[in-house]
Structure formats: C-alpha cells, structure tokens
Amino acid sequence: MAGPGGYYNLGNALGLVMGVTIQLAAPQGSGMRGGAALFDYFAGSSSAVALTLATLVFFCSGEVYHRAWAGRDVPDPALNRLADLLSGIGAIGLGAALFLFGQPVLAATAGLLHALGKIGSAAYRPGASVPGWPAGWPDPFRSAVLASRLPAMLAAALSMGAALPEVWLGGSPALVAAPLTLLACYLLWARADLLLFANSAGESAPALPTTARPMPLHPRPPKATKRPGPSI
C-alpha cells in the first residue's frame, strides 16, 4: 500500500473480482457456465477485449507507482512518470471499451480526459508553466485525472439509487452490488489521485538553500590572534 499504487491496484482488484463474481452468477439464465462465462467476460467481444487489456495495463501502472513510492520519502520521478504514461495508455483502452459499450460520455471523461491528464503528467514536470493555465492554480493534469472520476461516480450513484427499489421488491442484489462496487473503486482511485496531487505540490515548491544561516543579532568581534615569534 505504499503510495498511490496500492490504492490503484486495490480498486483494480476489487472491480475485477466483483465483475467475475457477477459474471459467474449471471449465466444461470443464459446457459453459459464456468469457462465459457469467463471467456465471454474477458474476450467475448471487442469491448471486452479492450477492457481486459486496459485492466492489465492499469495493474502494471499501479505496480510501477508502488515501486516509485516504496521505501522512499520522495518518490522516484522517473518511475512515477512511467506509471503516469502506462496509466494514460490504459485510459485510452478504457475509453475505447466504454465507447464500444455505448457510453460515449463516459468514454470522453473516464477515458479521454483521464488519458490526457496522465500523459500530460508524464510529459510535464510538476510546477512547469502550462500555456493558458494560471501559475497559482493546482496542477492541471492531476486536476484533469481527478475530474475524470466524477461523471462515473455520479453515474454509479444514480444507478444504485434506481436499483434499490427493485432489490427491495425482490430483485437481484447484483443490481446494487455492481454500482456500489464501482463507486468504491472510484473512491480508492480518487484517493490515489490525491496522493499524486500532494506529490506534485511538493515537487513544484522551491527548495530552500541549505547554506543559508541566520545572522546573529549582536555579532562578536573577531578574536585577536597571537602572532608567532621568530623560530630559534
């Protein structure tokens, strides 16, 4: 759980386990069981393949984030940027999957906006000036990543609220479990985003000179040194 990588991969694992569980529980009415259901989940369509590849890349980026932060007071900047780049590539795959699933709004936010934020974080050094972005504002690329979470979180919350009456009347608990899990995943990912926010602020802060020393209020006069006499 060192740094953001632990939170990212905890959310990735939670979403993957719950998705597989729901997929295995659902085929009772469709006739698909076991391996066939898992194949359909991971590679049964172009959207499923895109989502599977994106998930693999996200797991890799989470591990690189972990290695960048593990055992360090300040994360390794090269590994941190590599993780940002991998996460941006994963977000492109996620956007493609969401678009193929028929979710263009989420594809543009959770996919494209997320990718722009992560790839921008990989390309720009924290604190570097970005054209059109005021210097006193928070990091624009980390802000884009955090903002990309909000529409999906809102969609999950609305879906959960709409499903509650059906579950109350005897519907499947999966109607609530899926959006609830997605909301929990996004909260974990947002927590990781905030840790990267704090790191960006720390990297962009000017360092104090280590040679600066406070001047004494009442400096003492230098001591008189005894001049050595002639040697005998």
Side-chain angles (χ1 to χ4, degrees):
M1 294 300 293
Y7 289 97
Y8 278 136
N9 273 350
L10 184 59
N12 295 338
L14 176 62
L16 180 62
V17 169
M18 182 57 71
V20 169
T21 301
I22 293 175
Q23 181 73 6
L24 291 176
Q28 297 175 357
S30 63
M32 297 178 62
R33 295 183 181 180
L38 288 178
F39 177 82
D40 185 64
Y41 180 78
F42 288 108
S45 63
S46 56
S47 56
V49 171
L51 186 58
T52 297
L53 293 176
T55 302
L56 290 173
V57 176
F58 281 136
F59 269 114
C60 291
S61 68
E63 176 62 20
V64 177
Y65 276 124
H66 167 74
R67 296 189 181 194
W69 288 65
R72 304 172 187 269
D73 294 330
V74 178
D76 184 293
L79 287 178
N80 221 34
R81 289 192 179 91
L82 175 59
D84 285 332
L85 179 60
L86 289 173
S87 185
I89 295 172
I92 293 173
L94 174 62
L98 289 169
F99 184 79
L100 292 172
F101 275 125
Q103 299 287 344
V105 175
L106 291 180
T109 54
L112 181 59
L113 184 60
H114 185 173
L116 291 175
K118 287 293 187 179
I119 293 174
S121 297
Y124 278 78
R125 186 181 184 279
S129 60
V130 178
W133 189 264
W137 288 15
D139 186 291
F141 302 111
R142 300 296 183 199
S143 299
V145 174
L146 189 60
S148 74
R149 311 288 188 191
L150 300 179
M153 293 174 70
L154 178 61
L158 292 176
S159 178
M160 185 171 59
L164 281 174
E166 296 185 40
V167 176
W168 183 261
L169 294 175
S172 172
L175 295 174
V176 172
L180 180 61
T181 301
L182 184 61
L183 188 59
C185 291
Y186 269 97
L187 289 174
L188 289 168
W189 295 330
R191 168 61 178 162
D193 295 338
L194 292 174
L195 288 176
L196 288 169
F197 243 115
N199 173 63
S200 296
E203 283 191 39
S204 61
L208 294 175
T210 56
T211 56
R213 297 177 181 272
M215 294 296 293
L217 295 177
H218 302 287
R220 290 179 292 182
K223 294 182 179 180
T225 57
K226 183 178 181 181
R227 182 178 179 179
S231 58
I232 300 177

